[in-house]
Amino acid sequence: MQYRRFGKTNLHLSVFSLGTMRYLASVENACLTIQTAIALGINHIETASGYGSSEEYLGCAIATGLPIPRSLLHITTKIPPQNDADTMRRCIDESLTRLKLDYLDCLGIHGLNTLEHLERVQTKGGCWQAVAEAVADGRIRHVGFSTHGSLEVILAAINTGLFEFVNLHYYYFFQRHAAAVQLAAEKDMGVFIISPADKGGRLYTPPQQLIDLCQPYSPLELNYRFLLSDTRITTLSVGPASPEELAQYKQVADCDGELTQGEITVLQRLENHQASVLATDKCSQCYACLPCPENINIPEVLRLRNLAVAYDMTDFGQYRYRMFENAGHWFPGMKANRCTVCGDCLPRCPEKLEIPALLQDTHERLNGKEGRRLWK
C-alpha cells in the first residue's frame, strides 16, 4: 500500500480509503471488513452520520480493539451543514458518541451541493461556530467538505479558505471537476475521490464492450490508474460490502506511478472509439447549453448518452439517469423528456448538436424505474 500526504492536514493516508456505506449487513461483517482493510494497509476510514448504522458499527470495531494503534488510524465522519451552532454541536457530540471516540482526525461538512449550503456554513454564529469550537478544544483535528455539487459551487467552497480537504467526484469518465482538483492542489488541500468504482461508471460490473476496449487491463483498474497517476490526488474511496471484496485493490494500491505507455495507449483507444462511434453526436461537455429553461441538466444527460452509445454503459446510464427528479440537490435536474423544444440551447452549442433530439433519444434509452440514494 502506498501513502500520500493529505494536503495541509499533513496526515499521510493510504491511497485507498475504506468507505463504510455498504458494510452494514451486520456489526460482525463491519468489524471483519475494517480489520481486513487495516491488514491490507488501509489507514483511513470514512463514515457519515447519515450512513445508517455505519458510525455505530465502526464504534463497535474501535471498542473491541483495533489491530493498529488509534494514533495510526485516521477516521473521518461527515455531518451536513446545520442551520445553527447548537444543532451542529449536538451532531458532533452524537457522532463522537456513536464512534466511541474522543476526537476525529477529520470532519467533512457533508453535501455542500449548493451555494445556499455554503452560505449556511459561512453565516456568522452558524454551524461553523460549533465546528471551530470543536477544533479549538481538540475534538476535531481537521475540517474539509464533501460535495456532489456543480463545479461553480466546489470552486467557491475551496476559495473560502475554510477547508483543508475536499471529497469530490472526478474519474476517467467524468473529468468536469479537473479545475477543482487543480485549485485544491494550489491551495494545498487534500483531495479525496468519492466512489470511483460506482459513480465512476459501475466499473465493478462493466459491459463486455468496455472490457474488450480496455484489454489487457480491466476498466476498474484503468480508472484507478488514471486517478493514482495524478499526484494531486491523495486517496480513493472503496466501499466493500464484505471483506472479500477488498482483495481486488491490493495490486493497484502498490502501483501509483505515472501511466505506462500501455495504459496511455488504451486510454487513447477509448477516446478514438468514442469519437468514431458518436461522430457528430458527441457532446464534449462544454456546458455552454446551460441554463435550460426546463432545468434539464443537458450536459450530464448527454454524457450518459455518450457512455451508453460509445461503450455500451447502458446499465450505468440507467442507474444515474433514474436519479433525476428523485435525489434533490444530490443529483439535480429534470429528465430529458421535459424538453419543450424551445431551442434556447441550440445557438449556444459550439458543436451544433441537435440537442432536443438527443435528449429524447437519451430518455428512450435510459428511462426506467425511479432510483434513490442508498442512504437517507
Side-chain angles (χ1 to χ4, degrees), residues 40-343:
L40 288 173
I42 290 175
N43 71 349
H44 180 224
I45 302 177
E46 186 214 35
T47 184
S49 60
Y51 289 178
S53 301
S54 174
E55 286 185 331
E56 289 94 336
Y57 286 3
L58 178 51
C60 288
I62 292 169
T64 56
L66 298 167
I68 61 174
R70 165 70 180 96
S71 60
L72 299 180
L73 182 65
H74 308 305
I75 295 174
T76 296
T77 199
K78 305 188 296 297
I79 299 172
Q82 302 300 315
N83 289 322
D84 57 82
D86 286 342
T87 304
M88 194 68 178
R89 288 188 193 98
R90 186 177 71 250
C91 289
I92 293 170
D93 289 342
E94 289 172 351
S95 283
L96 286 167
T97 298
R98 286 190 291 265
L99 289 163
K100 298 180 172 58
L101 294 174
D102 54 10
Y103 75 92
L104 285 166
D105 298 275
C106 298
L107 172 70
I109 306 299
H110 196 191
L112 284 190
N113 298 338
T114 69
L115 292 174
E116 180 185 357
H117 293 150
L118 184 56
E119 183 180 351
R120 190 180 301 170
V121 171
Q122 294 178 289
T123 299
K124 186 176 181 180
C127 71
W128 190 260
Q129 179 179 326
V131 173
E133 291 169 0
V135 170
D137 65 27
R139 288 179 298 142
I140 295 172
R141 302 283 176 85
H142 306 285
V143 183
F145 71 98
S146 71
T147 180
H148 293 226
S150 68
L151 180 60
E152 174 194 17
V153 171
I154 299 170
L155 294 176
I158 292 172
N159 276 322
T160 64
L162 292 172
F163 304 106
E164 296 174 90
F165 63 90
V166 56
N167 300 8
L168 80 166
H169 296 285
Y170 174 72
Y171 324 108
Y172 174 71
F173 290 118
F174 179 73
Q175 299 182 39
R176 170 67 177 170
H177 293 160
V181 173
Q182 178 59 30
L183 182 61
E186 291 171 3
K187 302 282 189 181
D188 195 25
M189 293 172 63
V191 177
F192 183 134
I193 301 301
I194 302 169
S195 190
D198 186 63
K199 306 301 188 299
R202 277 199 168 178
L203 300 178
Y204 44 80
T205 54
Q208 189 61 49
Q209 183 174 12
L210 186 60
I211 293 172
D212 294 342
L213 285 167
C214 290
Q215 290 293 338
Y217 313 101
S218 74
L220 183 56
E221 176 187 5
L222 203 62
N223 189 45
Y224 286 152
R225 287 288 299 121
F226 169 79
L227 294 169
L228 292 178
S229 67
D230 189 336
T231 57
R232 301 170 301 177
I233 292 169
T234 307
T235 186
L236 319 178
S237 72
V238 296
S242 66
E244 291 76 20
E245 293 183 15
L246 283 163
Q248 62 186 305
Y249 307 110
K250 184 173 176 57
Q251 181 176 354
V252 183
D254 291 327
C255 302
D256 70 339
E258 295 181 359
L259 290 170
T260 67
Q261 186 56 54
E263 291 163 344
I264 292 170
T265 297
V266 172
L267 292 175
Q268 188 60 58
R269 182 194 303 159
L270 289 170
E271 291 295 314
N272 293 343
H273 180 80
Q274 183 185 69
S276 173
V277 172
L278 290 168
T280 57
D281 286 346
K282 180 185 176 184
C283 172
S284 64
Q285 300 288 283
C286 69
Y287 279 64
C289 55
L290 296 181
C292 169
E294 302 305 323
N295 196 31
I296 298 169
N297 188 341
I298 297 171
E300 181 62 11
V301 171
L302 296 188
R303 181 181 78 93
L304 298 177
R305 183 185 185 276
N306 283 354
L307 299 178
V309 173
Y311 306 124
D312 196 26
M313 294 172 67
T314 303
D315 180 64
F316 171 68
Q318 290 175 341
Y319 158 56
R320 296 301 283 169
Y321 184 78
R322 293 167 188 168
M323 299 293 287
F324 286 125
E325 305 182 26
N326 290 290
H329 58 77
W330 295 95
F331 197 65
M334 307 302 287
K335 289 187 175 181
N337 64 330
R338 304 286 186 174
C339 176
T340 61
V341 199
C342 70

Side-chain angles (χ1 to χ4, degrees), residues 8-24:
K8 65 183 73 174
T9 73
N10 282 318
L11 299 174
H12 282 77
L13 304 187
S14 47
V15 293
F16 285 111
S17 294
L18 179 66
T20 59
M21 187 188 291
R22 297 180 63 239
Y23 72 178
L24 300 173

